[in-house]
Amino acid sequence: MSEVALVEQAEGWTSIRQHILVADDDLIAREIARDTLEEAGFIVSLAENGLQVLTQVAVEMPDLILLDVEMPKLDGFSTCARLRAFPQGESVPIIIVTGSGDIEAAERALEVKATDFVNKPVKWPVLVQRIRHILHAARTFMELKRSQQRLLSAQQMANLGYWDLDIASRVLQVSEQAYNIVGLPQGNISSLQEYLEVIHEEDREIFKAKVSAGLVKGEPWLDEHRIVTANGETKVIKVTAEIFFSAVDETKIIWAMGIVQDITEQRRSEETIRRMAFYDDVTGLHNRVAFMEELKLVMSLHQRMKTVLAVLYLDLDDFKRVNDSLGHHLGDRLLKKFADRLVEELRASDLPARDRSSVLARLGGDEFVLLLTGLKHKTDAATVARRIQSSLAQPFVLDMETEQGLSSSHELYVSASIGIAVYPTDGMDAETLLKNADKAMYATKHMGKNTHRFYVDDMNDRALERLDMETRLRGALDRNEFCLHYQPQFDLNTGEVIGVEALLRWDNEDLGSVSPTEFIPLAEETGQIIAIGAWVLEAACDQIKHWQDAGLPNLKVAVNLSSLQFRQGKLGELVTNALQKSGADAKLLELELTESIVMRDVEQSIATLNTLKLMGVKISIDNFGTGHSSLSCLQRFPIDILKIDQSFVRGLGVDAGNTVIVNAIIAMGKSLGFAIIAEGVEEQAQLQFLQDQGCDVAQGSLFSHPIPGDQIPAFLEQFDREAIVLRRSAVS
């Protein structure tokens, strides 16, 4: 229909005013045509010759064209021939008006593909009726054509094709779209056997069986199978079939037909959704949902068989430092390598018995879980745990790229804490069994990590206690439950108190005095150490200023920093704010970091420490000797002090190895210009040894336990420095 066609209501039915173009060089004939056709309800345009017709249709194609044969410039026949070359001209109805009885003109009209012709003089009532019939037929034809096109488009969009099979001749007819689906030229498939050759060899027998059963039983059938196209592409095809019987013999099948549909993308999408629902995208292992379904199923089988299964809950030790120092991208790669190693270890020889199997899943973060079935003894699970931990003795190698585009390999060592829960003794349902394995894993963490433990009943009580402590810890700052005690540090040459170490204490109304060994690891694990550490830093700076204002000798105050504080990126700002807010002298503030913290990302650590040094604060390395760094490596860091770990001091005179280590730390540290502090000095013999070896400073219960800040002035007045200095160091 043309754009100028209008829709109007007349006599209760909807009619469409269609556009007719009349071309005639006779003015009177044109006007008669206009009046008659407009009265009949049409919209009429006029042209004097063929060229005007071509000009008008280039702008808008009418619904029908009336052409007089004899016109100047371009006659009716030539105009009709040219119209058929237009994009829409092939289907537009064209009626040619010829001379009376001119048979040759009528034949010529058909040659140029005119729709119809009429003779002059024109009988307009008859012509109007003929025009209506022609337009109706044209509209019906176009609607049918559009319907067919829509159907074809729908088939193409749905990847649908059709087939039919003549049972008597076994001739298979396949639609054009079906050929497109299977990727073969038309005519290549004329029988079921030829279609079988396209089907993937692993799916052929099933397809043949379904076709045979359907034809024998006279029942519709459906099959999904893979095909291999001519270019080697594999597709998933769904074929449906309907069966038709003879009208004469209702038991005789004469015909089958059905649909061929390409469902490759649908199945791929379903597989993607299934993997997202049941598999971990980082490691490719089962996720929590899939694992719990498998665990419930296996537990029901073991209940009937009265056999043992175990759940191993694995958590990577200190994995957060990998993400903090190397980034989550490399952290994910490490998780993938860890998962691959576990899979290989399980394949090797973990479960030699035929009736045993395993399921490995990642629950999230750095937590994994392993299901072991068909165990004869509870201890079999411990054997697997030990083998896993033994496999982690080998490093993981990760390739890294620098900002300059250079690649380097890094060896990373990780260990795992493993908790084990056994069915049926540790839980009769999946949720309880997994929860108890998790509790056992946390108990392993508190034991010192890198080992395994079985679940025992009292772990539940400890887990509840831990949850209660975590809840109370979250409100401890708001309730002002924290305070600082200070352990004096003594110059072993003069016996003077030259500084103190700030130690955090927590006193809760219900829990009483909570040991730092309990609540500090919990604060680090939950992230609360960030806020608590900021409070400690501000409180220590306030104490420095208070002692200065009270006229006490300048005492350095050492504050311990956690790895989270050091890595959060705001440490410089935090220290600056604490110093400015309190007015404390920066040179009296000492920041203590453990050896493991600064060694995680050497370059970043050096940059952060340089920033702190520019403020005037002192830097000390705590617990030195417990990590894997060397003194020569530490000389790259802008540090002032090394603190010998108390585990080495405690072994002096008892363990020859500890004695050698302490000697080496003191000698090499002093050669590099570091001051040396020994912590945990408890016995007179330890003190004398440290003095003999030239250790500078010591702290420990031999001198003083940590005391509140307001008791420091009295302590300074009362302590006997002569009791400290047994004798001067004779080390030259």
Side-chain angles (χ1 to χ4, degrees):
M1 184 184 68
S2 67
E3 292 182 359
V4 297
L6 302 175
V7 178
E8 64 181 6
Q9 299 294 326
E11 300 179 359
W13 58 281
T14 301
S15 64
I16 300 175
R17 296 188 64 192
Q18 292 175 295
H19 179 201
I20 298 177
L21 173 59
V22 178
D24 198 316
D25 62 334
D26 187 330
L27 175 61
I28 295 176
R30 290 200 304 272
E31 292 302 323
I32 292 174
R34 184 210 295 272
D35 292 344
T36 304
L37 293 172
E38 286 183 347
E39 187 177 352
F42 296 103
I43 297 171
V44 181
S45 297
L46 302 177
E48 298 179 10
N49 54 61
L51 291 180
Q52 289 185 5
V53 170
L54 297 178
T55 301
Q56 290 189 38
V57 299
V59 177
E60 178 187 357
M61 185 65 70
D63 296 301
L64 183 141
I65 301 173
L66 273 174
L67 294 176
D68 185 33
V69 170
E70 297 181 0
M71 292 186 294
K73 298 184 180 179
L74 195 66
D75 63 25
F77 297 127
S78 300
T79 303
C80 181
R82 294 195 184 186
L83 284 170
R84 291 306 186 200
F86 276 71
Q88 294 176 286
E90 184 179 353
S91 58
V92 65
I94 300 174
I95 300 176
I96 290 184
V97 181
T98 67
S100 178
D102 191 345
I103 301 300
E104 183 179 349
E107 292 177 349
R108 180 80 187 281
L110 296 176
E111 289 177 2
V112 296
K113 298 182 180 180
T115 307
D116 200 357
F117 63 90
V118 296
N119 294 321
K120 290 183 178 180
V122 176
K123 297 179 180 179
W124 281 105
V126 176
L127 180 56
V128 168
Q129 191 64 24
R130 184 180 295 183
I131 288 172
R132 282 180 173 152
H133 282 295
I134 290 173
L135 287 172
H136 176 73
R139 186 164 62 247
T140 302
F141 172 76
M142 291 303 298
E143 288 175 353
L144 177 61
K145 187 174 181 181
R146 283 194 294 269
S147 297
Q148 291 174 339
Q149 186 60 45
R150 283 196 297 269
L151 179 60
L152 179 60
S153 297
Q155 291 176 18
Q156 291 172 342
M157 290 176 64
N159 287 322
L160 280 174
Y162 294 90
W163 63 271
D164 66 71
L165 175 68
D166 184 281
I167 302 301
S169 66
R170 296 288 177 173
V171 173
L172 179 65
Q173 298 287 338
V174 181
S175 71
E176 178 183 353
Q177 184 60 17
Y179 274 111
N180 292 337
I181 290 172
V182 298
L184 292 175
Q186 292 190 47
N188 280 36
I189 300 176
S190 59
S191 66
L192 281 173
Q193 184 58 41
E194 290 178 339
Y195 181 70
L196 277 172
E197 294 175 3
V198 182
I199 297 177
H200 194 286
E201 59 181 0
E202 295 178 2
D203 299 342
R204 287 175 190 166
E205 292 304 319
I206 296 176
F207 178 79
K208 285 172 63 177
K210 288 188 176 182
V211 173
S212 298
L215 294 178
V216 170
K217 297 178 181 179
E219 297 176 350
W221 50 268
L222 177 149
D223 184 56
E224 288 187 17
H225 52 265
R226 291 165 294 171
I227 65 165
V228 182
T229 65
N231 61 6
E233 179 186 3
T234 299
K235 294 183 178 182
V236 181
I237 303 298
K238 181 167 74 173
V239 175
T240 61
E242 293 289 337
I243 305 298
F244 298 88
F245 295 87
S246 169
V248 178
D249 182 358
E250 295 183 355
T251 64
K252 183 179 181 181
I253 301 173
I254 61 171
W255 181 37
M257 69 166 292
I259 296 173
V260 178
Q261 185 177 13
D262 181 359
I263 59 171
T264 306
E265 290 303 320
Q266 178 183 339
R267 291 294 177 260
R268 284 176 182 166
S269 298
E270 291 171 353
E271 175 62 19
T272 299
I273 293 172
R274 188 182 73 86
R275 289 198 63 82
M276 291 174 63
F278 295 104
Y279 290 87
D280 173 54
D281 58 350
V282 173
T283 63
L285 300 176
H286 287 77
N287 61 12
R288 180 183 291 271
V289 174
F291 180 81
M292 292 303 291
E293 288 189 2
E294 184 70 16
L295 179 57
K296 291 174 183 177
L297 174 62
V298 171
M299 288 180 72
S300 65
L301 294 175
H302 278 61
Q303 185 177 21
R304 293 196 297 270
M305 297 165 58
K306 299 187 183 303
T307 51
V308 175
L309 67 84
V311 171
L312 277 64
Y313 205 115
L314 299 86
D315 184 270
L316 272 66
D317 298 327
D318 302 318
F319 179 74
K320 190 176 186 304
R321 66 181 175 83
V322 177
N323 281 337
D324 290 344
S325 58
L326 302 180
H328 288 274
H329 173 65
L330 286 175
D332 286 349
R333 285 170 55 187
L334 179 59
L335 289 174
K336 178 66 169 66
K337 285 182 173 288
F338 175 80
D340 292 344
R341 185 173 295 183
L342 289 184
V343 171
E344 290 301 319
E345 188 64 29
L346 292 172
R347 286 175 181 167
S349 58
D350 278 322
L351 306 166
R354 179 177 296 179
D355 58 343
R356 297 183 188 178
S357 62
S358 63
V359 176
L360 180 64
R362 180 189 177 214
L363 301 187
D366 59 348
E367 295 183 340
F368 295 78
V369 65
L370 174 63
L371 169 62
L372 300 176
T373 68
L375 303 180
K376 287 184 172 57
H377 306 287
K378 178 178 178 178
T379 54
D380 292 344
T383 301
V384 175
R386 283 192 292 269
R387 187 170 294 138
I388 289 173
Q389 286 166 330
S390 177
S391 74
L392 297 179
Q394 297 299 317
F396 293 90
V397 180
L398 295 181
D399 293 327
M400 300 174 57
E401 277 198 7
T402 65
E403 294 181 356
Q404 292 75 26
L406 302 176
S407 61
S408 61
S409 295
H410 282 246
E411 290 188 349
L412 297 177
Y413 289 86
V414 296
S415 61
S417 297
I418 303 177
I420 306 172
V422 178
Y423 171 84
T425 56
D426 298 336
M428 294 297 293
D429 60 83
E431 288 77 12
T432 301
L433 196 64
L434 184 64
K435 180 173 65 177
N436 288 340
D438 186 18
K439 291 175 183 175
M441 183 273 293
Y442 271 106
T444 305
K445 290 279 190 186
H446 293 301
M447 282 179 61
K449 307 176 182 178
N450 193 25
T451 185
H452 65 274
R453 288 196 70 182
F454 283 92
Y455 172 79
V456 291
D457 288 339
D458 66 346
M459 286 180 181
N460 188 52
D461 296 332
R462 292 201 297 273
L464 292 175
E465 291 173 2
R466 181 181 181 279
L467 180 61
D468 180 58
M469 182 181 294
E470 180 182 338
T471 302
R472 296 178 188 277
L473 186 61
R474 291 189 182 279
L477 272 177
D478 295 333
R479 295 189 298 269
N480 297 316
E481 293 179 350
F482 291 119
C483 68
L484 294 181
H485 285 193
Y486 299 88
Q487 186 167 44
Q489 297 173 332
F490 296 85
D491 186 315
L492 296 187
N493 291 315
T494 66
E496 298 289 347
V497 177
I498 62 170
V500 294
E501 180 179 0
L503 299 170
L504 182 63
R505 297 293 183 260
W506 179 27
D507 190 11
N508 179 263
E509 181 179 359
D510 297 316
L511 300 178
S513 295
V514 185
S515 170
T517 60
E518 292 186 45
F519 75 82
I520 289 181
L522 183 59
E524 290 179 340
E525 185 179 327
T526 59
Q528 297 179 68
I529 197 66
I530 297 293
I532 295 173
W535 178 88
V536 169
L537 192 59
E538 290 185 1
C541 289
D542 288 340
Q543 187 66 75
I544 292 172
K545 178 60 175 173
H546 179 73
W547 285 337
Q548 283 182 297
D549 292 344
L552 265 68
N554 288 335
L555 294 178
K556 289 184 299 181
V557 177
V559 176
N560 291 279
L561 298 178
S562 74
S563 61
L564 289 180
Q565 283 179 289
F566 192 66
R567 299 297 173 198
Q568 68 172 331
K570 298 181 179 179
L571 184 57
E573 178 183 344
L574 202 66
V575 173
T576 299
N577 291 341
L579 289 171
Q580 290 179 347
K581 183 178 178 181
S582 64
D585 189 345
K587 69 174 181 293
L588 297 179
L589 177 63
E590 178 184 317
L591 300 178
E592 288 191 4
L593 298 113
T594 63
E595 178 186 1
S596 59
I597 291 176
V598 297
M599 293 305 299
R600 286 173 189 169
D601 186 341
V602 172
E603 300 305 325
Q604 183 60 46
S605 295
I606 291 173
T608 302
L609 294 177
N610 279 327
T611 300
L612 296 173
K613 286 288 290 182
L614 289 174
M615 300 178 189
V617 302
K618 301 293 184 181
I619 305 295
S620 68
I621 299 299
D622 195 12
N623 299 339
F624 185 75
T626 60
H628 302 287
S629 62
S630 64
L631 281 166
S632 59
C633 179
L634 283 178
Q635 67 180 328
R636 297 182 58 197
F637 294 95
I639 60 179
D640 304 287
I641 302 162
L642 288 184
K643 295 190 73 174
I644 304 173
D645 188 70
Q646 60 182 340
S647 63
F648 298 121
V649 174
R650 191 177 298 119
L652 289 175
V654 178
D655 186 320
N658 282 358
T659 303
V660 171
I661 291 173
V662 171
N663 281 339
I665 293 175
I666 294 174
M668 294 182 66
K670 293 180 77 67
S671 70
L672 294 173
F674 301 144
I676 307 297
I677 297 179
E679 57 182 353
V681 179
E682 300 173 349
E683 300 175 0
Q684 194 77 15
Q686 296 168 354
L687 171 61
Q688 184 171 344
F689 177 88
L690 293 169
Q691 287 177 314
D692 288 344
Q693 299 305 315
C695 182
D696 302 306
V697 181
Q699 65 183 78
S701 60
L702 178 64
F703 313 113
S704 171
H705 291 285
I707 56 178
D710 58 2
Q711 296 180 19
I712 288 292
F715 176 83
L716 294 177
E717 290 181 1
Q718 298 171 5
F719 88 96
D720 182 6
R721 73 183 188 87
E722 294 299 330
I724 304 297
V725 185
L726 297 178
R727 62 186 176 87
R728 303 285 179 172
S729 173
V731 178
S732 58

